[in-house]
Amino acid sequence: MSLYTRIEGQLDTKSDDAGPVRGTYSLGRVLMIWLAANLVVTTLLTGTLFVPDVPFGLVVALIVGGTIVGAAVLVTIGAIGTRTGLPTMAITRGPFGTRGSLLPVAANVVILMGWSWVQAMLAGIALNYIVASMTGFSNPVIFAVLCQTIVVILAVFGHAGVARVEPWFAAVILAIAAYIFAVAFSTFSPADFAGISAPLEPFYSPGLMFDVVVATAISWTVLSADFNRFASSTRAGVIGSGIGYTLSTVISMSLGASAIAYVVLRGGDAIPFDPVTIIEPFGALFAVAIFLSVMATNTMVVYGMVTSVVNALPGRRVQFLSTAIVLGLISIIGSTFFGLLAQFTTFLVTIGALFAPIFAIMIVDYYIVARGSYSADILKAQGGRYWYTGGINWLAVTSWVVGAASAYAWAYVWPLPFGATVPAFLLTFVVYLALSRARRSKTPFEPSRHLADADTPR
C-alpha cells in the first residue's frame, strides 16, 4: 500500500459525512460557536464599505436591522438541521431532489471558493504589512499564495485542531474590538462621527448597504444546518445561533465602520475593504490578529468546500484527498486575483442572488409542503419520495431560476432602493409555494422525527 493510499484512507475515515447526526451541544456552546464564527476580519472589513457614503448613525442602525432580518433566515434553516440531523447541502435534496441538489451544492462550492480567495488575499496583505514593516520587502501576492498553501495543508490534515482554537482567535478579536472602540470614541465624540460628510457621488445608498448586510447573513446560512445539527434541541440551536450570529456580526461590522470613520476624522483616506488602512492607525498587533483569524476561518472554509463535494450524492462518496488537492490548487491560484477585492460588493450581491431563493425554497418545502418532516427517503441514493423526475424536482429548479433572475435584475437592471436580496427571497417563496400546492395535498403527513432514529434506507 502506497503512502498516498494510506493517507487517503485515514482522511476518508475522519472526514465529515452528510448522514444524520444526533446533536448534544447546549445552547451556550452553540452560541459560542456562532459568536466565534463571524468575529472575522471579512465581516469587519465589510463595515468599512459604508463610511462615509452613509451617515454613521444610519450605518449602525442598518447593520443591526439587516443582521436581524438575515439571522431570521439563518436560524430557520439551522432548525431543519437540528430536527433532521442533516447538514445544509443534504437538506436541499428534499426540495430539489437527489440529483437536483447538485445545483445548490455547485453554487455553494463557487461561493466558498470566492470566500477562500478573498480571505487568502486579506491574510496575504496582513502578513505583507508585518514583513514589510520589519524588512522592507513587500509582495502581497506571494504572501497570499503562501497563506493559502498553508490553509490547504491545514484543511486536509489539521482542520479539527483549527476548529478547537478558533474561539481563542475570536477572543483576541473581541479584545482588539474593545481597544479600537475605546481609542476611536475617546479621541472623537459621537457627534464627530455623526458629522462626517458624504462624498458628492456616494457609491453606497442605504438600500444597497442593507442588501449587503442581509447578503452577509445569507452567505453564512449555507453553514447554519452544518453547525446547528449538533445542537441538543431546536431551542438551543435557534436561540444560540440567533444571538451568537447577531452579536458577532453587529460587533464586527460596527467595528469596521468605526475604524474607517476614525481614519476619516484623522484626515486619512477612506479606502474600503483595505486592511492596511485600518491597521496603520492601530499598530502591527492588529495585523497579527487579522492574519491569525483569517487563516483559521479560511481553513474551515476550504474544508467545508471539500466536504460538500465529497458528499454531494448519497451512496457515491468521492475520495477526500484527491478532491482536496484539486480544489486546493484552484484556491491557491485564485488567491492571486487581487482584483476580486475591488468587486466585493458584486460578490456579496451574487451570493444573495444565488442563495436567497434557495433558502426560500427550502423553508417552504420543509415547513409548509412537508409539514415539518422529511422521511428517511432523503438518505437514499436513488428512488423514493425525493427522486421526483429522474432525481430532479423541476418545480424547485424553476422557482430558483425565477428568484435568481429577479435578484440580478433588481440589483443591476432596475435597481430597487432597498436592495434585491429580500425581494428575491419573497418572490421565490411565493412562486414555489404556488407551484407546490398540489404536491402538498398529496404528501402524507408524518410526525417529525430525527433521521438518526430512522431505519437506514437501501
Side-chain angles (χ1 to χ4, degrees):
M1 181 182 293
S2 66
L3 177 61
Y4 179 92
T5 304
R6 290 199 299 269
I7 294 175
E8 184 178 60
Q10 292 177 353
L11 292 175
D12 283 337
T13 301
K14 295 179 181 179
S15 62
D16 294 338
D17 60 45
V21 172
R22 171 67 70 182
T24 58
Y25 291 177
S26 66
L27 188 156
R29 187 169 182 184
V30 174
L31 189 153
M32 290 305 299
I33 287 173
W34 280 101
L35 185 65
N38 211 27
L39 277 174
V40 292
V41 177
T42 45
T43 307
L44 185 155
L45 290 177
T46 300
T48 68
L49 298 171
F50 311 134
V51 177
D53 291 8
V54 180
F56 185 80
L58 183 56
V59 166
V60 175
L62 289 173
I63 287 174
V64 174
T67 299
I68 292 174
V69 170
V73 177
L74 184 146
V75 300
T76 304
I77 295 295
I80 305 176
T82 308
R83 290 160 63 98
T84 62
L86 297 177
T88 309
M89 290 301 106
I91 295 169
T92 61
R93 297 172 198 156
F96 285 90
T98 306
R99 289 176 175 169
S101 65
L102 291 177
L103 174 65
V105 168
N108 185 42
V109 171
V110 170
I111 294 303
L112 289 178
M113 184 65 77
W115 276 118
S116 178
W117 291 347
V118 168
Q119 294 191 94
M121 295 167 199
L122 296 178
I125 291 171
L127 183 58
N128 181 75
Y129 179 88
I130 297 169
V131 174
S133 63
M134 297 173 61
T135 67
F137 176 78
S138 177
N139 194 317
V141 174
I142 288 178
F143 287 118
V145 170
L146 174 62
C147 289
Q148 190 62 9
T149 302
I150 296 172
V151 161
V152 172
I153 294 172
L154 288 173
V156 174
F157 297 103
H159 69 276
V162 172
R164 284 193 291 268
V165 301
E166 189 171 17
W168 295 101
F169 291 146
V172 172
I173 295 294
L174 277 176
I176 291 174
Y179 169 72
I180 293 176
F181 279 130
V183 170
F185 287 97
S186 63
T187 305
F188 300 100
S189 68
D192 293 328
F193 281 83
I196 296 175
S197 57
L200 294 177
E201 297 182 359
F203 177 81
Y204 278 93
S205 64
L208 179 57
M209 178 193 159
F210 180 80
D211 198 50
V212 168
V213 176
V214 174
T216 300
I218 296 298
S219 72
W220 278 101
T221 303
V222 299
L223 298 174
S224 60
D226 296 43
F227 290 165
N228 282 18
R229 66 176 176 153
F230 295 105
S232 59
S233 66
T234 303
R235 177 179 177 275
V238 169
I239 297 177
S241 60
I243 294 176
Y245 175 81
T246 300
L247 282 178
S248 61
T249 303
V250 170
I251 291 171
S252 295
M253 281 196 188
S254 299
L255 177 62
S258 300
I260 200 71
Y262 177 77
V263 170
V264 171
L265 290 172
R266 292 182 66 201
D269 295 326
I271 304 176
F273 217 79
D274 176 31
V276 175
T277 300
I278 56 177
I279 287 173
E280 288 181 338
F282 299 103
L285 183 62
F286 193 16
V288 173
I290 288 178
F291 170 75
L292 292 177
S293 68
V294 168
M295 293 291 284
T297 304
N298 207 15
T299 297
M300 303 312 295
V301 166
V302 172
Y303 180 76
M305 181 167 48
V306 175
T307 301
S308 293
V309 174
V310 167
N311 297 292
L313 285 173
R316 297 184 183 179
R317 190 170 172 82
V318 181
Q319 293 178 336
F320 184 92
L321 183 56
S322 57
T323 305
I325 291 173
V326 172
L327 293 178
L329 287 174
I330 295 173
S331 72
I332 291 171
I333 294 171
S335 67
T336 64
F337 303 155
F338 270 63
L340 180 60
L341 293 178
Q343 302 297 322
F344 188 72
T345 298
T346 302
F347 176 59
L348 283 176
V349 171
T350 301
I351 292 175
L354 289 174
F355 271 103
I358 288 174
F359 295 137
I361 291 168
M362 292 173 68
I363 290 171
V364 170
D365 195 81
Y366 181 78
Y367 290 101
I368 300 177
V369 177
R371 300 181 182 88
S373 176
Y374 280 149
S375 75
D377 282 0
I378 202 171
L379 306 177
K380 284 185 174 182
Q382 189 169 345
R385 183 179 299 176
Y386 309 103
W387 189 245
Y388 299 104
T389 304
I392 301 173
N393 181 10
W394 291 103
L395 297 181
V397 173
T398 301
S399 301
W400 177 81
V401 171
V402 171
S406 68
Y408 177 84
W410 289 332
Y412 297 107
V413 183
W414 305 289
L416 298 176
F418 40 78
T421 301
V422 174
F425 177 92
L426 294 175
L427 175 63
T428 310
F429 189 101
V430 172
V431 169
Y432 186 65
L433 180 61
L435 293 177
S436 301
R437 287 183 64 186
R439 187 166 70 87
R440 182 183 189 277
S441 63
K442 297 176 182 177
T443 301
F445 173 76
E446 293 184 5
S448 177
R449 65 170 177 168
H450 198 284
L451 292 178
D453 300 329
D455 295 330
T456 304
R458 299 180 181 222

